Amino acid sequence: MHEPEQRAERGTGLGRLAATVERLRQEVREAHAAADGRALIELAKGILVERLRCNPAEAARQLSALAERTQLSQLELAADIVNQAAQDRLTELAGQFVVSAVEQGAPVSLQAEEGDASLAVRLRTAESGILSARDTQAVSESLLQHALAPLGASVVAVWAAGTDGSLTLAGSAGFASGQAMRWRYVPPGVATPARQALVDRRTVWFGDLSEVGLPSIGHQPGEKSGRVAVPAGNGGRILGVLEIGWPHRLSPQPPAIRRQVEALAELVAHTLESHPVTAPQRPDTELVDLVNGLHDPALILRPYLTAEGRLTDFRIQHTNANFVDFAGRSRSTVNGALMLEAYPMAAGEGGLYEKIEHVHATGEPFRAERMPLTALIDQVPLTAIADVSISRHGESVLLIWRVLDEAARVAGLLQHAQRLGRIGGFEENLATGEITWNAQLYTLLGLPPTASPIPLQLLPQHAHTDDAVAIGRFLRTLLHHHLPASTAFRLQRSDGVSRHIRVVAEPVLDAHGDLLSVRGAYQDISAQHWTEVALAATRDQLAHSEQQAAERNRLALQLQQAIMPPTHGPIEAFDLKIAVRYRPAEEEHLVGGDWYDCVILPSKKVLLSVGDVAGHGIDAATGMVILRNALRGLATTGAGPAQLLTWLNLVAHHLTEQVTATAICALFDPETRTLRWARAGHFPPIMVRRDEATELPLIEGVLLGALAEAHFEEGSLRLEKEDVLLMYTDGLIERKDRSLEHSQRQLLSVATAAVPSLEQRLDHLLTYSKSDTDDDTCVVGIQLR
């Protein structure tokens, strides 16, 4: 055989082998699909048996023949047959998918491509797997494999909702080992995606779970993960939550995907209903026995559903023997009625019905004190205040209320007020001589409850002899002039205790103006009396202290004004022009320790300094004088700014009594036009150059006096012509409602204002500063000409 022929034969053989391999692969894929959807195929055969009235074998042959003619797999054909027969939510979803594909110009066929199952097959296969699953765990695995993995999802969790608002992990798939064990139970009140969906009763999508900060099963902090949580329930009651996760950030999903996820949640609800995770709830007979044992009015409510399973109201199934509603109606009036028929006013927003509906849907109990409840009686609204409790028990909702007796409540409050205020009331009938005291009055006057009340006429016998005149005047005003009266006296109690008592009374007159009786009250004012005595002594002592403080403040102010006048005429030294503005505190008692200094040293260098001693008053003023003069003396040594602050820190720490201060020290050399400077916890100076204001670097330097030994860094800069350097204290920028950083930025903006002179620039800073702490303010300006 020639070589070309051999090559052709080999080519033909290889082609046939490739075709055989591809055919076998296709058969394997179809076999796997058929195995996964065996239940779906069997369901389709059952439909054909019923529609064609044939036996199962004939139905199988018909299904195979139809698949060949339509060029569909048996699984896809089975899904179409079930969809046509069911016409349910899954059928609608598949149809919407086709319409959406047509609108977007995509192929309208739902057939599988390249081995992927179609949407209809995926949904029906998932449904078959759920219906045939032995438990919720198997349901979770079927959902992930058949319906969710093709959507890119990697994990799924099915949560069962408890009667108390808790969540129990009923099934999961795709999570790492141990995750299910750690998340098997979520207590009530713990915020998770599933709980948010349960409480809000709606589907909640999270593009990236790490951005909202909600913990959930399988999610690591900072990990990008898309999530969706869908409530699963029917008849208005949420049985659980379906939670699906993606291993990446999730972009907004199209409506078709959203509807597909909600359809899967309906299938999960069927599973939770068929395979309950928690123990069965107590039967209604037990709930009735419980309700009958309650002393407060209680109602058992059952959901009232339409033929489509939609919740429209609650039926009052049972009321206990103690039931009387807040409108005074008995149990026979409301038993068997619908809630909104018996209590239509409960339907308002945030009202009682909305609370009942929420508890029924989520299982989260509701408690409220002093909640207004309104009923219509003969078209007239009647409102009562009650403590309300609502809880879910299986399918039923238990409603308990306790209407508050406002009159008894007010009487109780009055009794407590009398006890706390040490007040006792009385009434004396002058015609019959009958006297009525309340229980508090016996305790107040130190008498046993069996003792006879004291008549007003005998009151002087129980009082201090010095108070007889005041009591006599009180009795004449009350009994003779028939006018209200009051007085204070010292009561001599039978137990030997003397108390200061105030009595207040008013006459009760008949139609002719004759005196019938007297009503009034006694109050123990002993504590008030001794408080007034102590207050008078304290007032005298305070007046003396205020006088001393005023003298100290006056001395501090005089000392401050002698050394730091509010304005300082401009100083011209070499090529420098120096101006100073000092604004003392508005309140004299806030005399502070701000200082400034401008001195030409023997070395022909110029010393510039600004400082602020902590505190106010004479101590701050004297501390300012010490540091300011010490710096002047130290500067004559010729040392640099950093060394000067090092020495000044020793003065503050060792040679003064706990003085701390911030400061800036600068030396200007007119020959080189160089400014060397150092700071001790103070704001850095501001440089204004060519109408642009910037802060000098924040070099190292701690507060003066804070440490025994401190290191100070030194900075330097060369001034150019018309440069302006500003040094200031914190009184210029401090605000109670803003940070210092914000105020410093504001100051930089104000400092760039166009002004004709250095003095006007300083005045402009003081005028437009936004400080509000009423502290001393000092500003030093240096301009190179």
Side-chain angles (χ1 to χ4, degrees), residues 89 93 202-203 205 230-231 242 244 255 257-267:
R89 177 78 179 270
L93 186 60
R202 63 179 179 86
T203 302
W205 291 82
V230 194
L242 171 63
I244 306 167
I257 299 299
R258 292 174 177 265
R259 287 191 292 270
Q260 181 176 343
V261 169
E262 291 173 358
L264 295 175
E266 291 185 5
L267 299 177

Side-chain angles (χ1 to χ4, degrees), residues 466-490:
D466 294 344
D467 296 329
V469 175
I471 294 176
R473 188 180 302 112
F474 163 75
L475 293 175
R476 282 194 301 275
T477 302
L478 182 66
L479 304 178
H480 179 66
H481 298 292
H482 299 172
L483 295 175
S486 65
T487 190
F489 64 93
R490 285 162 288 179

Side-chain angles (χ1 to χ4, degrees), residues 735-757:
R735 286 187 61 84
K736 300 173 184 176
D737 59 344
R738 298 288 177 86
S739 65
L740 286 176
E741 290 77 8
H742 181 276
S743 300
Q744 285 176 286
R745 292 194 298 269
Q746 176 74 22
L747 180 63
L748 291 176
S749 175
V750 175
T752 57
V755 291
S757 68

Side-chain angles (χ1 to χ4, degrees), residues 575 668-675 717-722 784-785:
D575 294 330
F668 176 72
D669 188 343
E671 293 184 359
T672 62
R673 294 193 171 187
T674 301
L675 183 81
L717 71 157
R718 181 180 176 82
L719 298 182
E720 299 179 3
K721 187 176 181 180
E722 300 305 327
L784 185 64
R785 296 177 297 176

